[in-house]
Amino acid sequence: MYKVLIVEDDPMARQLLEIYVRESGRYELVPSLASAALAEFCCRTHHVDLILMDICTAMNASGLVAAEKVKKYFPHIRIVMITSQPECSFLDRARAANVDSFWYKSATASELLFVMDRTMAGECVYPASTPRLQIGYAFSDSFSARELEVLRELVSGETDAVIAERLHLSLRTVKSHIQSLLNKTGLRNRTELAVRARESGLIIIN
Amino acid sequence: MFGFAELGRLPKALILTVSFVFLCVSVCLLIHVCRRRNGLGEALCALLGVLYCGGMIVIYDAYEKGAFYDNWPLHPFAERAAEFPLIFPLSGLCVVIFLLFVSLAREWKREKRSITSSSVKESIDCLTTGLCFSYPNGIVVLVNHQMNALCYRILGEDLQNAVSFWERISEGEFHGTAERLSFGAHPMFRLKDGTVWTFGREEMQDVVQITAVETTRLHAITEELRNHNLELAAMNLRLKKHAENVEEMTRAKERLEIKARIHSEFGKALLSTRRYLQDEEADAEEILNEWKRNIAMLRMKTVAPRDEDPMSILMKVASAAGITVELCGDMPEEESIRQLFFEAASEALTNAVAHAGATCLHIEVMREAERVSVRFTNDGMPPPDAIAEGGGLGALRQKTERIGGEMQVETANGFALTLSVLRKEVNRFV
């Protein structure tokens, strides 16, 4: 039986995941964690085959950062990232961190177990795209990659000049991206844009 | 050609008066030049003036007295001089007067060009800054108009003693229309006309300097900045609350979804059981697992248990793996520092196991008034050589420095990690 470590900060979601795993008949549990910061420690002190890892965990620890570290030191441990956040960059960042699979928390027990089985069989399971979100009049898939980058900086509260410097763009380009976002969404100003992006879960700063 | 003796009373008096006047002028000039101790030409001219005018007065006066009193012993030289044609002594007098004027003009010019005490006073009076120099005992050496005026407007009296003046403006009481904006080393006053003045005091070698600078504009800008900062802080707080609300909302939504999922899972289990009972094609074991899961889910505490303190969770996780964690001191209250320290603790714990093979991690939190620091040590093997700060430690250093803290890694007597954060700094960054 494979040993599964669950990293999830919400106690209810954690219990539910534990039940899925325990009652599956083919997986065993390692004591669960609330914060991803301890994941590497757990892998060093326990035998772990598979990690179900949330992205935003307790004490503001990022599951993606922890997953990258675990994958670096223990390449044989399979990792399934699970999140309830439709954040647009999570998929790409998970791929960059060498995470095996990625799924959403809203999945049913059998869906999730299916993803786990496939992952243990050596496959990588990723959703085809992030969920479609509506912001103003526009859907999130109508934004370009650059626009999403600018939007991310905007949500963190930076000025145009700082955004331009961080993304190595000219000030004029940044302004035109923001204008284009405003045009697409039909929102009135940048503050509203930032708030909506944050509220919808499209952009999560972590 | 007639001499002094033949003149009438009035011209005689006139000549004597003129001589006397220029005698006085040359004496003054002589004293002035001698005090300065240079300017030989002027000194000689002045001396000549003194001797010539003085000589004329003595001789003519003696003659006059001899003519008036019969038994006055008159020197034959004076008698002869009085009858000497007047044109010569008078032209001599003219020359002397001319030379005196030239010397006076040169002296005046020199006065304009060189710095004297009066020119210093004159120039500091032109300053818009208030300035006062005094001895340490308070006796005023030099004070300008502006300082005097300020003193009068604030304290209602003239500046007499610099020590008592400073005491009164920095700490003491005053009865005036001015308003004191700040105490201490740089007292600040707002006068009736709305201008703001900041005073400063500096002790030099053997004089004390008190200055007063107009800071009306600076004060206004500072006030504006403070108001802006207050507004910003309020906005930041609102933004933070908003972010918290978003997170709380997401959580509530997730819980609701979980409940809905339990409901639908139960329905699914009922359906598949019914199918199994009708036409036995389904996998019995799978259905059994499904029921087990559903029963467990129904037994689950739907009221979420309270989140445990992360540090005690860390200790529990560590002790489950056979590592003792000793925590001395209390974790700080500030959320961002707690998060940082927790991350550091996780990193230290991981490193203690991964590299040092330790069985005990010692955490010491030290609180000072404005600074809080944490030190991690373990009982494992010291690192073989200097540690390259890759992944974990590097990220930790970045995070520490981002909130204005410092991180130190020691390897000399075993591995030790120290983080130190200014509490105020964090509040400013948050």
Side-chain angles (χ1 to χ4, degrees):
Chain A
M1 284 224 264
Y2 293 123
K3 302 260 190 185
V4 179
L5 170 66
I6 293 171
V7 183
E8 163 67 59
D9 61 330
D10 183 55
M12 261 190 88
R14 189 165 63 229
Q15 285 183 63
L16 198 68
L17 287 172
E18 282 172 358
I19 290 166
Y20 288 174
V21 172
R22 202 187 306 125
E23 308 302 335
S24 66
R26 49 189 185 275
Y27 293 104
E28 236 178 285
L29 277 175
V30 172
S32 305
L33 296 176
S35 174
L38 289 166
E40 191 194 339
F41 174 76
C42 221
C43 292
R44 288 189 186 277
T45 51
H46 291 81
H47 174 80
V48 177
D49 295 302
L50 177 69
I51 305 179
L52 282 179
M53 180 110 74
D54 188 13
I55 292 184
C56 303
T57 70
M59 295 310 273
N60 209 13
S62 162
L64 286 164
V65 173
E68 195 175 356
K69 265 202 250 171
V70 169
K71 269 291 180 189
K72 188 172 148 200
Y73 296 114
F74 308 96
H76 64 276
I77 296 181
R78 304 286 159 89
I79 298 180
V80 178
M81 297 303 301
I82 42 171
T83 181
S84 55
Q85 318 276 18
E87 225 284 350
C88 53
S89 71
F90 281 174
L91 269 180
D92 294 332
R93 283 165 67 194
R95 282 203 182 90
N98 284 326
V99 166
D100 299 274
S101 298
F102 188 104
W103 210 252
Y104 291 101
K105 267 192 217 167
S106 52
T108 61
S110 41
E111 265 176 2
L112 199 65
L113 286 169
F114 177 71
V115 171
M116 287 164 68
D117 292 342
R118 294 266 297 274
T119 306
M120 287 319 291
E123 285 179 58
C124 287
V125 188
Y126 274 80
S129 64
T130 44
R132 239 170 141 226
L133 295 171
Q134 191 172 4
I135 293 179
Y137 297 128
F139 285 97
S140 52
D141 51 6
S142 66
F143 300 143
S144 72
R146 266 290 189 221
E147 281 170 359
L148 284 173
E149 278 178 47
V150 172
L151 188 58
R152 173 176 303 278
E153 298 296 329
L154 196 67
V155 170
S156 63
E158 298 299 355
T159 61
D160 288 357
V162 176
I163 297 176
E165 202 190 309
R166 285 227 187 128
L167 301 179
H168 306 290
L169 296 173
S170 75
L171 192 60
R172 185 189 292 257
T173 321
V174 170
K175 281 191 195 297
S176 83
H177 279 312
I178 293 174
Q179 192 52 51
S180 142
L181 283 165
L182 289 174
N183 290 346
K184 282 181 187 173
T185 55
L187 297 175
R188 275 171 305 175
N189 53 44
R190 43 190 295 151
T191 316
E192 202 177 354
L193 187 63
V195 169
R196 289 289 169 79
R198 177 72 183 80
E199 269 177 353
S200 65
L202 179 66
I203 305 286
I204 289 165
I205 307 292
N206 74 334
Chain B
M1 285 297 188
F2 49 89
F4 182 75
E6 286 101 88
L7 287 174
R9 293 182 80 115
L10 196 67
K12 276 180 185 166
L14 196 69
I15 287 173
L16 281 175
T17 310
V18 169
S19 305
F20 182 72
V21 168
F22 281 95
L23 176 68
C24 293
V25 169
S26 32
V27 166
C28 287
L29 183 67
L30 190 63
I31 292 168
H32 187 84
V33 173
C34 285
R35 196 188 285 163
R36 212 184 57 228
R37 287 176 202 170
N38 65 355
L40 191 64
E42 285 83 6
L44 285 177
C45 286
L47 196 62
L48 183 68
V50 171
L51 292 178
Y52 193 87
C53 297
M56 265 178 82
I57 290 168
V58 168
I59 291 167
Y60 288 148
D61 187 56
Y63 172 78
E64 273 302 287
K65 287 202 173 90
F68 196 73
Y69 303 106
D70 287 339
N71 55 348
W72 189 268
L74 188 64
H75 196 277
F77 175 73
E79 204 166 352
R80 233 175 314 135
E83 279 153 16
F84 195 66
L86 199 57
I87 188 87
F88 296 108
L90 275 189
S91 46
L93 186 63
C94 285
V95 170
V96 168
I97 289 171
F98 173 75
L99 283 175
L100 276 175
F101 269 113
V102 169
S103 301
L104 275 175
R106 285 183 59 176
E107 204 46 32
W108 185 69
K109 252 192 195 164
R110 189 196 292 267
E111 197 82 343
K112 289 277 280 189
R113 269 205 316 270
S114 59
I115 293 174
T116 59
S117 55
S118 59
S119 61
V120 170
K121 169 77 172 128
E122 207 173 305
S123 57
I124 71 160
D125 275 344
C126 293
L127 282 178
T128 51
T129 309
L131 202 57
C132 168
F133 293 97
S134 68
Y135 292 122
N137 61 11
I139 293 173
V140 175
V141 183
L142 184 61
V143 58
N144 74 347
H145 278 337
Q146 185 64 268
M147 188 56 107
N148 259 329
L150 283 171
C151 180
Y152 192 77
R153 287 164 79 182
I154 293 170
L155 303 179
E157 59 188 47
D158 285 328
L159 207 168
Q160 300 288 347
N161 184 305
V163 171
S164 72
F165 169 69
W166 181 256
E167 273 170 13
R168 284 182 69 186
I169 60 166
S170 62
E171 299 297 341
E173 296 193 350
F174 64 97
H175 313 280
T177 49
E179 175 196 354
R180 177 153 48 197
L181 301 173
S182 72
F183 290 81
H186 293 283
M188 203 190 284
F189 288 86
R190 182 186 283 134
L191 301 183
K192 209 176 167 190
D193 61 0
T195 52
V196 176
W197 292 83
T198 306
F199 289 82
R201 182 173 182 272
E202 196 180 337
E203 279 177 33
M204 299 178 195
Q205 264 183 347
D206 41 14
V207 282
V208 178
Q209 173 190 276
I210 298 177
T211 51
V213 186
E214 197 192 335
T215 50
T216 313
R217 181 97 186 99
L218 185 71
H219 182 73
I221 293 171
T222 315
E223 284 281 293
E224 206 176 312
L225 188 70
R226 190 180 304 151
N227 288 341
H228 278 304
N229 272 339
L230 280 177
E231 259 173 56
L232 261 179
M235 271 165 72
N236 237 332
L237 202 70
R238 281 211 299 277
L239 197 70
K240 255 180 86 179
K241 285 238 171 79
H242 185 79
E244 275 166 24
N245 283 345
V246 169
E247 265 155 39
E248 196 43 52
M249 262 168 60
T250 324
R251 268 166 188 244
K253 215 173 99 191
E254 270 178 37
R255 289 201 182 135
L256 205 65
E257 272 173 16
I258 287 169
K259 286 176 188 167
R261 214 179 310 156
I262 293 171
H263 186 86
S264 68
E265 292 265 351
F266 195 74
K268 242 182 78 194
L270 279 175
L271 271 176
S272 44
T273 314
R274 191 174 144 200
R275 218 169 32 235
Y276 174 73
L277 293 174
Q278 280 171 352
D279 54 18
E280 324 219 334
E281 262 177 43
D283 181 0
E285 201 180 332
E286 186 59 37
I287 292 171
L288 183 65
N289 277 343
E290 220 169 305
W291 274 113
K292 273 189 196 161
R293 188 162 68 218
N294 269 295
I295 288 162
M297 274 171 11
L298 288 174
R299 276 186 181 160
M300 199 170 94
K301 294 181 200 106
T302 42
V303 180
R306 261 179 64 85
D307 280 353
E308 255 184 290
D309 170 48
M311 275 319 254
S312 59
I313 293 179
L314 181 131
M315 285 166 152
K316 234 192 263 174
V317 170
S319 72
I323 313 282
T324 329
V325 177
E326 290 170 358
L327 174 64
C328 292
D330 293 324
M331 286 286 272
E333 289 82 24
E334 293 87 343
E335 190 57 29
S336 52
I337 309 185
R338 283 169 76 92
Q339 284 177 3
L340 180 74
F341 282 9
F342 176 77
E343 193 181 330
S346 310
E347 187 63 33
L349 183 64
T350 312
N351 283 347
V353 175
H355 307 301
T359 56
C360 178
L361 175 71
H362 186 79
I363 307 176
E364 195 178 354
V365 182
M366 288 155 286
R367 284 154 172 261
E368 287 154 47
E370 293 190 332
R371 184 172 273 279
V372 58
S373 43
V374 64
R375 187 178 165 84
F376 303 96
T377 46
N378 63 53
D379 64 346
M381 290 172 295
D385 40 33
I387 295 174
E389 280 183 28
L393 285 179
L396 200 59
R397 181 179 291 279
Q398 261 184 15
K399 278 190 190 172
T400 312
E401 281 164 9
R402 200 176 333 152
I403 59 170
E406 290 166 22
M407 181 177 123
Q408 278 181 348
V409 177
E410 296 158 50
T411 53
N413 302 314
F415 177 82
L417 173 68
T418 313
L419 265 68
S420 165
V421 184
L422 270 178
R423 310 179 85 164
K424 269 190 192 158
E425 287 285 302
V426 171
N427 291 336
R428 214 187 57 194
F429 279 91
V430 166

